[in-house]
Amino acid sequence: MQTLKPLLPVGARRLAAWCGVVLLVAGVAAVAIWLCVALKTAVTPVLLALLGTALLGPVHRRLTKHGVNRSAAAGLTCVLLVAVVGGAGYIVVAALVDTGEQIVQSLKDAGQWVVDHFGVTGNTNVGNLADSGKKLVEKFGASAAGGLLSGLSLVGSLIATSVLALLLTFFFLRDSDRAVNLAHSIAPRGAGDLVEAVGRRAFEAVEGFMRGTTLIALIDAVCITVGLLILRVPGAVGLGALVLVGAYIPYLGAFISGAVAVLVALADRGFVIALWALGVVLAVQVLEGHILQPMIQSRTVQMHPAMIMIALTAGASVAGLLGMLLAVPLCAAAFGVLGELREGRLPPTDTPDAPDTPSPGPRGEPPGPSGA
């Protein structure tokens, strides 16, 4: 009997299969994102708690190694988190409030300097531009906050989210030893080891990103603040606080905070000091890119700058400013999962239908040919 010839060639069938896989993955990802947006009131504290757990996990593990009860260690770690985040937040907000008007006025003066020296014509009013930019920022922040937690006031939603995230951080730290049992219980039969390995890899990627980014942000902020203080740039502490906050948004945050520092130096100290401020910012960025990043984040997932920019854009489109903050850690976790799957780790099969494999030699040598 004559066999029927396939309707499509092999290449076309493979392309169709891959297109089906891509469509399936895209559909699952779209549904997952839609669910996260629909359940943002619950998803946001969970994600923030996971970031806090990744940042403070080593502290909790060290306390438990010294004989502290897991609940007490989790409580002490959460108290430390409140103290550090609250203290840092107070310093940043106080610095920005004290020097905010001065920085805004310096930006207006810098804009006017650009208009005067580069011959910009037309009805250009720097004050109106600054006011429009301020309104745009306020509108963006209001829309992002309203879209994130609708139905509640901004202050109340922030307090509720912070308290819930803190409680979840406590439980995640205290019950982290049960995560392995949970992974094995929810995984399909025979896939528990793979699920455990994937989860560990993803969490290690997020943990390394959070610790590395926090340390790099502190070093960048201190170096730039010291440099601006030496150059006697007004609002140096507030600009350093802006650098500290912006460091959690890779590339984009550093660019914006560095540009603001240079413009403030240009308006108040002149062109030469602005060049020196630019040199300080560039020197810190070179230090970060060539020394701090390889040393501190060498064991974490490394992503191409283009992927980071795409992740930031996607995060901003989904959840505004909070999406930009969460985009890179989530991408780091995704790349960790892909790296674990790419290594091809499969759970051991103990089923009776598994084919028999020859046992290794007495000292670990590979088995010889049959009949040897």
Side-chain angles (χ1 to χ4, degrees):
M1 183 177 179
Q2 186 179 6
T3 57
L4 296 177
K5 185 178 181 180
L7 182 62
L8 296 175
V10 178
R13 283 181 288 167
R14 289 180 178 176
L15 178 61
W18 277 109
C19 289
V21 171
V22 170
L23 289 176
L24 179 61
V25 172
V28 172
V31 172
I33 293 175
W34 179 81
L35 287 175
C36 290
V37 173
L39 303 175
K40 52 185 172 289
T41 306
V43 172
T44 302
V46 173
L47 294 178
L48 294 177
L50 287 174
L51 295 183
T53 305
L55 182 62
L56 297 175
V59 178
H60 180 264
R61 289 194 293 268
R62 181 162 296 186
L63 289 175
T64 53
K65 284 183 180 180
H66 285 78
V68 182
N69 181 269
R70 296 191 64 88
S71 298
L76 291 175
T77 307
C78 290
V79 170
L80 177 63
L81 175 64
V82 172
V84 171
V85 174
Y90 174 78
I91 294 174
V92 170
V93 172
L96 292 177
V97 168
D98 292 340
T99 60
E101 294 184 2
Q102 192 175 16
I103 292 175
V104 171
Q105 185 60 42
S106 298
L107 291 176
K108 290 182 180 180
D109 296 340
Q112 191 63 48
W113 185 91
V114 172
V115 170
D116 296 338
H117 287 75
F118 289 92
V120 180
T121 58
N123 297 326
T124 304
N125 190 324
V126 177
N128 291 338
L129 290 177
D131 294 338
S132 300
K134 184 178 179 181
K135 291 179 181 178
L136 180 62
V137 171
E138 291 176 353
K139 182 179 179 181
F140 173 76
S143 62
L148 180 64
L149 294 173
S150 58
L152 296 174
S153 65
L154 178 60
V155 176
S157 64
L158 289 177
I159 294 176
T161 302
S162 302
V163 171
L164 183 56
L166 183 64
L167 292 175
L168 289 175
T169 303
F170 170 80
F171 290 120
F172 288 167
L173 289 171
R174 189 191 68 176
D175 301 329
S176 58
D177 57 329
R178 304 180 185 177
V180 176
N181 296 331
L182 178 63
H184 284 269
S185 62
I186 65 176
R189 186 175 183 180
D193 293 337
L194 180 60
V195 173
E196 177 188 350
V198 167
R200 287 184 185 275
R201 187 72 170 267
F203 189 76
E204 287 173 0
V206 177
E207 189 177 55
F209 172 82
M210 288 300 298
R211 285 186 294 170
T213 302
T214 302
L215 184 56
I216 291 174
L218 289 174
I219 296 175
D220 287 354
V222 170
C223 292
I224 290 181
T225 303
V226 170
L228 296 179
L229 287 175
I230 294 175
L231 296 174
R232 291 184 295 174
V233 175
V237 178
L239 293 172
L242 187 63
V243 171
L244 177 65
V245 175
Y248 286 93
I249 303 178
Y251 300 107
L252 184 61
F255 173 78
I256 294 176
S257 58
V260 170
V262 173
L263 289 175
V264 171
L266 175 65
D268 285 84
R269 299 286 292 151
F271 186 73
V272 176
I273 299 299
L275 289 179
W276 278 103
L278 178 61
V280 170
V281 173
L282 292 179
V284 171
Q285 294 304 316
V286 170
L287 174 68
E288 174 186 342
H290 291 82
I291 298 178
L292 297 180
Q293 288 277 3
M295 288 179 57
I296 296 176
Q297 291 188 334
S298 59
R299 297 184 179 181
T300 60
V301 177
Q302 300 294 329
M303 292 185 292
H304 194 275
M307 294 298 301
I308 293 179
M309 297 304 297
I310 293 174
L312 291 176
T313 305
S317 64
V318 173
L321 183 60
L322 183 62
M324 297 178 69
L325 293 174
L326 296 175
V328 180
L330 292 179
C331 281
F335 272 86
V337 171
L338 291 177
E340 185 67 29
L341 295 177
R342 188 169 57 245
E343 291 178 1
R345 294 187 181 181
L346 297 175
T349 55
D350 297 332
T351 56
D353 329 31
D356 295 334
T357 56
S359 58
R363 296 184 180 177
E365 297 90 346
S370 59

